[in-house]
């Protein structure tokens, strides 16, 4: 007999998620009981005072997070309610009041869902729109509350109090919830029903009834019935199967034509609600169709892949359920169900967010990789995560599918019996440094980390950061008159200073073909290659300096964005009547406001400060400071000098743009120095303590043999006898 789902968590919790007083004390060694009571009495006053302060801070943080979740919910409701009522109803999802539910629009639900929703179509459009949106968002908040109560024990008090508002806020901005608020989409309801069945409803038959209802709304969720069976809840599994069969039979009796359309003609809804090969279908079947596979070969391959996902997913879910990680078991099963469904819509993939309950990685620094990857994939468009390259299209078009498959079959979640479950290998920090200025305290997140950061997390953050930078830069003001006016102002200042050399340099380069070719190549080739190469070398060889260099580059780029917004500037090549030649992009038709194809790619007036020169100056400074050999320092110093010649010779920047780039880079290095101390302290530990391929390490990372064992007083959930 498998474990009861209601008791796999290990500890019984109080209403706020904390353990009941005295529960752990029962397991404490009796021999030291009196001594422990005496020590507790001595420190009770101080601990109580600290507990009150900590509790008040946690309460304030919880209120702020719930306020944020409420604000995001209001924002989502406003986005939905801005749609005109007529367009909202005719959009494509709700069934008509009469006739078949699949005759008009793009209703993709089951016949049972159509049978449940059909009476609501008689309501007035504004009332229905408001009610549908509010109920959907309330269900999302309910999912956050129930899921937070399902975290595996032992749960720290901070996590127990803050998990619900954090999860609710993340769901409010996630792609599934943003799409689920559309009319006729019921994907949020099955998730709530299943969580209630697992965590809140006592008894097997009522829980099985809720699971069956969820499967009647989304047939792939019938996969939870085998999970119930394999974990020892066979009455619940039978109740789920009976409920699903009864609901399906009822829909056949009430809507025979629609049931035939859904189950037979469209094979469990395939092709209803949108094209099967559309990007919205994040299932194995949809991915294979997008890759160009059709016919019997596609069907056989899809069946084989779906069978493998079900096999591995169910085995892992059963293992996590028996380990006391019920929320993770539910999330894994839900991910597998959507993946193997013929049509797994994006708004049905809320299960992936619940999979952040699992812990991945032995090091404390690695614990953030999986949650960050999930949050980024579930909240940002795939174009932000991956560049627009043809070779990456199969991955970019299936990001949600791939992360769901990873959650179901591949991600190595730690069991609660692992010595690293509660005590991961700690992160190594450098010696504490005093604040540079007494009024600027050193913030905790600026602590000097000595160990090498997680590579996947770094790549994700760099890619997302650059994508956000590109979007913000493209959204900066693009007024032609303002930009040209600022260009005339810059030229006037340069004439006063006697540095208006752009036109002479540009004409000299145009008259020298080999020099023009060299500067064009340098301008287009080294802007990204050199900074990325430096970051890669520092990451591998000098992790402490990598963090220093990366932070300074990021701060300089953020400061540059402020310049793009505050001072749109036309570069020399886009100034009419001055006779500049754009050697890189070719002649520009200044009579055409769009200036050809280049303006469509990026904001051509984001020129002050010049990050082309700023990034090259950053490269030069880093190489000169860190390179061990003289010829390397010389090359580093030459790079910004050649770059400033290139940006002026190609008519892409004014000389003062380079000055602006130097200012933001200097400010970036200065801010890092003020907030985290001198760079030298990052690697100030003795050389004999360095490890991990050249990475400084304050303390050696403990191996599995030296890892602490779970305390005897804290039982690990497992199969009951």
């Amino acid at each position: 007999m498998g474990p009861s789902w209601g008791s796999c968590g290990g500890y019984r919790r109080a209403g706020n998620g904390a353990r009941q007083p005295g529960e752990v004390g029962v397991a404490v060694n009796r021999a030291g009981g009196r001594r422990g009571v005496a020590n507790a009495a001595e420190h009770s006053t101080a601990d109580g005072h600290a507990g009150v302060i900590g509790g008040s801070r946690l309460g304030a943080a919880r209120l702020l997070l719930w306020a944020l979740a409420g604000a995001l919910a209001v924002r989502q409701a406003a986005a939905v309610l801005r749609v005109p009522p007529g367009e909202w109803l005719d959009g494509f999802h709700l069934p008509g009041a009469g006739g078949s539910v699949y005759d008009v629009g793009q209703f993709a639900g089951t016949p049972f869902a159509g049978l449940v929703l059909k009476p609501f179509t008689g309501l007035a459009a504004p009332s229905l729109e408001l009610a549908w949106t509010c109920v959907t968002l309330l269900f999302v908040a309910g999912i956050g509350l129930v899921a937070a109560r399902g975290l595996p024990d032992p749960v720290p008090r901070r996590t127990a109090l803050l998990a619900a508002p954090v999860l609710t806020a993340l769901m409010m901005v996630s792609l599934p919830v943003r799409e689920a608020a559309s009319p006729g989409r019921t994907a949020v309801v099955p998730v709530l029903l299943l969580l209630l069945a697992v965590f809140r409803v006592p008894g097997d038959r009522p829980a099985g009834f809720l699971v069956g209802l969820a499967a009647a709304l989304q047939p792939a969720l019938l996969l939870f019935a085998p999970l119930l069976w394999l974990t020892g809840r066979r009455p619940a599994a039978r109740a789920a199967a009976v409920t699903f069969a009864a609901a399906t039979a009822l829909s056949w009796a009430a809507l025979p034509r629609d049931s035939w359309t859904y189950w037979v003609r469209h094979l469990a809804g395939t092709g209803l609600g949108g094209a099967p090969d559309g990007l919205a279908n994040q299932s194995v079947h949809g991915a294979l169709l997008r890759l160009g596979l059709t016919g019997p070969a596609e069907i056989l391959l899809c069946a084989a892949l779906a069978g493998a996902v079900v096999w591995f997913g169910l085995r892992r879910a059963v293992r996590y359920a028996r380990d006391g990680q019920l929320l993770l078991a539910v999330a894994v099963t839900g991910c597998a169900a959507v993946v193997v469904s013929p049509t797994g819509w994006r708004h049905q993939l809320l299960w992936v967010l619940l999979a952040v309950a699992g812990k991945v990685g032995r090091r404390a620094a690695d614990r953030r990789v999986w949650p960050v990857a999930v949050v980024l994939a579930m909240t940002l468009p795939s174009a932000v995560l991956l560049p627009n390259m043809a070779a990456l299209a199969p991955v970019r078009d299936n990001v949600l599918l791939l992360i769901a498959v990873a959650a179901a079959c591949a991600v190595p979640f730690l069991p609660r019996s692992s010595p690293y479950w509660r005590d991961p290998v700690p992160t190594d920090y450098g010696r504490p440094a005093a604040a540079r200025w007494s009024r600027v305290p050193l913030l905790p997140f600026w602590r000097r980390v000595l160990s090498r950061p997680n590579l996947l997390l770094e790549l994700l953050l760099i890619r997302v950061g650059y994508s956000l930078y590109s979007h913000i830069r493209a959204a900066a003001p693009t007024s032609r008159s303002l930009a040209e006016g600022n260009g005339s102002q810059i030229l006037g200042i340069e004439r006063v200073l006697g540095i208006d050399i752009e036109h002479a340099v540009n004409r000299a380069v145009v008259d020298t073909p080999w020099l023009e070719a060299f500067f064009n190549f340098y301008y287009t080739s080294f802007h990204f290659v050199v900074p990325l190469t430096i970051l890669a070398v520092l990451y591998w060889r000098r992790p402490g300096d990598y963090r220093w260099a990366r932070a300074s580059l990021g701060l300089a780029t953020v400061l540059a964005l402020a310049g793009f917004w505050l001072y749109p500037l036309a570069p020399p090549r886009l100034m009419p009547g001055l006779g500049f030649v754009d050697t890189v992009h070719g002649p520009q038709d200044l009579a055409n406001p769009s200036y050809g194809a280049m303006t469509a790619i990026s904001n051509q007036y984001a020129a002050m400060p010049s990050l082309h020169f700023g990034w090259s100056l950053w490269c030069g400074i880093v190489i000169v400071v860190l390179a061990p050999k003289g010829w390397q320092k010389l090359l580093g110093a030459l790079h910004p000098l050649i770059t400033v010649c290139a940006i002026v010779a190609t008519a892409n920047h004014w000389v003062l743009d380079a000055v602006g780039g130097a200012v933001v880079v200097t400010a970036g290095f200065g801010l890092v120095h003020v907030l985290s101390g001198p760079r030298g302290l990052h690697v100030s530990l003795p050389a004999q303590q360095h490890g991990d391929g050249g990475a400084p390490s304050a303390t050696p990372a403990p191996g599995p043999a030296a890892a602490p064992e779970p305390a005897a007083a804290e039982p690990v959930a497992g199969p009951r006898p």
Side-chain angles (χ1 to χ4, degrees):
M1 185 72 173
S4 170
W5 280 24
S7 59
C8 280
Y11 291 115
R12 179 172 56 90
R13 289 191 220 147
N16 62 355
R19 284 176 288 197
Q20 295 277 14
E23 287 179 330
V24 179
V26 175
V28 175
N29 191 323
R30 302 289 184 183
R34 294 184 179 179
R35 183 172 63 253
V37 171
N39 292 336
E42 293 176 4
H43 299 287
S44 60
T45 303
D47 291 347
H49 181 64
V52 170
I53 296 177
S56 63
R57 291 178 178 175
L58 281 178
R62 189 183 191 191
L63 288 177
L64 288 176
L65 288 172
W66 274 119
L68 174 63
L72 294 173
V74 171
R75 176 179 175 273
Q76 177 61 34
V80 175
L81 296 177
R82 276 198 297 265
V83 179
E87 182 181 341
W88 192 86
L89 283 176
D90 297 337
F92 46 90
H93 300 297
L94 280 179
S100 171
V101 297
Y102 304 114
D103 280 347
V104 294
Q106 297 182 13
F107 181 65
T110 62
F112 179 75
L115 186 65
V116 173
L117 294 176
K118 216 171 182 185
F120 294 97
T121 58
L123 297 176
S127 302
L128 179 59
E129 183 182 13
L130 179 62
W132 186 277
T133 304
C134 293
V135 169
T136 300
L137 296 178
L138 285 175
F139 282 172
V140 171
I143 291 173
L145 288 169
V146 178
R149 296 294 302 273
L151 291 173
D153 284 321
V155 180
R157 186 166 180 264
R158 177 179 298 179
T159 302
L161 288 175
L162 304 183
V166 168
L167 180 58
T168 302
L170 288 176
M171 287 191 293
M172 290 297 179
V173 297
S174 67
L175 296 174
V177 169
R178 297 209 302 261
E179 293 191 4
S182 299
R185 288 179 171 169
T186 58
V188 174
V189 179
V191 178
L192 182 59
L193 289 176
L194 283 163
L195 289 177
L196 290 174
V198 172
F199 297 108
R200 306 303 298 167
V201 175
D204 283 337
R205 287 186 175 81
F209 174 75
L210 293 182
V211 174
L213 281 183
L217 296 173
Q218 191 176 330
L221 297 181
L222 195 60
L223 190 61
F224 277 87
L227 178 65
L228 291 167
W229 186 275
L230 294 173
T231 52
R233 299 190 65 178
R234 297 189 175 183
R238 285 192 289 266
V242 170
T243 302
F244 172 77
T248 304
L250 177 63
S251 61
W252 271 97
L255 302 172
R257 178 185 164 196
D258 293 329
S259 298
W260 175 268
T261 300
Y262 182 88
W263 291 107
V264 180
R265 214 167 114 206
H266 284 273
L267 190 60
T270 306
L272 294 174
D277 60 348
L279 294 180
N281 183 11
Q282 291 291 304
S283 67
V284 171
H285 178 56
L288 294 178
L289 292 178
R290 285 191 290 274
L291 291 175
L293 298 176
T294 56
E298 187 273 331
I299 295 175
L300 291 175
L301 182 58
C302 180
L305 293 175
V309 170
V310 169
W311 172 261
F312 286 107
L314 271 181
R315 284 173 61 90
R316 283 159 56 89
V318 170
R319 184 165 66 249
Y320 297 137
R322 290 174 176 169
D323 188 53
Q325 301 187 65
L326 283 181
L327 183 60
L328 182 58
V330 170
V332 166
T333 307
C335 289
V338 177
V339 165
V340 303
S341 176
T343 50
W345 304 112
R346 278 193 298 249
H347 59 274
Q348 297 173 342
L349 278 170
L350 201 57
W351 305 103
V352 179
L353 265 179
L354 301 181
V356 297
K359 294 183 179 180
V360 183
R362 296 181 174 183
R363 299 192 310 162
D366 297 335
R367 290 288 171 87
R368 297 186 294 268
V369 179
W370 172 245
V372 169
V374 168
V375 171
L376 293 179
M378 297 298 290
T379 57
L380 297 177
S382 57
V384 175
L385 301 174
L386 294 170
N388 189 18
M389 299 170 57
L392 296 177
V395 178
R396 189 177 59 252
D397 295 343
N398 301 290
V399 167
L400 293 181
L401 168 65
L402 292 175
I403 199 166
V405 172
C409 304
V411 178
F413 297 111
L414 290 175
R416 294 174 68 239
S417 57
S418 169
Y420 301 101
W421 169 265
R422 296 187 61 188
D423 298 302
V425 178
T427 301
D428 297 332
Y429 294 98
R431 296 189 181 122
R436 301 299 94 199
W437 297 332
S438 59
R439 296 185 179 181
V440 182
L442 295 180
L443 301 179
F445 59 83
W446 284 105
R447 289 181 299 174
R448 293 182 302 281
V449 181
L450 301 180
S451 57
R452 182 178 293 113
N454 184 279
L455 179 59
L456 178 58
L457 183 60
E458 290 295 302
L459 293 176
L460 278 173
L461 295 180
I462 289 174
R463 169 57 198 170
V464 172
Y466 179 74
S467 183
L468 293 177
Y469 156 77
S470 300
H471 281 78
I472 296 173
R473 170 183 167 139
T478 57
S479 170
R480 176 177 178 178
S481 60
L482 179 60
E484 291 178 355
N486 289 336
S488 300
Q489 185 181 55
I490 289 292
L491 181 58
I493 296 174
E494 289 187 352
R495 284 173 177 169
V496 172
L497 297 175
I499 58 173
D500 55 326
I501 61 174
E502 292 87 359
H503 189 270
V505 173
N506 179 243
R507 296 309 306 180
V509 169
V510 170
D511 294 336
T512 312
W514 69 267
L515 195 57
E516 178 184 355
F518 170 76
F519 281 129
N520 288 349
F521 173 78
Y522 206 93
Y523 180 87
T524 56
S525 301
F526 288 86
H527 182 43
F528 293 106
V529 172
V530 178
L532 291 177
T533 302
I534 291 174
L535 287 174
V537 172
L538 292 180
Y539 175 86
W540 182 248
R541 300 295 301 172
R542 307 182 71 160
D545 288 323
Y546 165 81
R547 296 176 183 272
W548 163 77
R550 178 201 58 187
S552 60
L553 180 63
L555 288 173
T557 304
V558 171
L559 293 174
L561 286 175
F564 299 156
W565 275 82
L566 297 175
Y567 198 77
L569 175 65
R573 62 186 178 84
L574 295 184
M575 288 292 291
L578 297 182
F580 286 97
V581 177
D582 187 349
T583 62
V584 176
H585 308 112
Q588 299 292 309
D589 181 11
L590 299 183
N592 180 6
S594 66
Y595 294 144
M598 280 306 302
T599 305
I601 296 175
S602 64
N603 184 355
Q604 300 300 289
Y605 296 143
M608 171 61 85
S610 169
L611 281 185
H612 229 97
F613 174 73
W615 288 1
S616 70
L617 179 62
W618 173 87
C619 295
I621 293 174
V622 171
I623 294 175
V624 169
V625 170
L626 300 179
K629 298 181 179 179
W631 65 268
Q632 296 171 339
K633 296 179 184 291
L634 178 61
L635 288 179
L638 286 176
H639 177 54
L641 295 178
I642 300 176
T643 300
V644 73
C645 295
I647 64 175
V648 173
T650 58
N652 277 277
H653 283 284
W654 306 97
V655 172
L656 287 181
D657 295 349
V659 175
V663 169
V664 296
V665 169
T666 303
F669 281 113
L671 285 173
V672 172
H673 180 82
V674 169
L675 295 174
S676 62
R679 181 202 62 84
L681 292 181
H682 287 254
V683 288
S684 60
L685 295 182
Q688 62 267 24
Q689 292 184 355
H690 291 185
D692 191 23
S697 177
T699 55
E709 296 294 332
E714 298 181 356
V716 177
R720 288 184 168 183

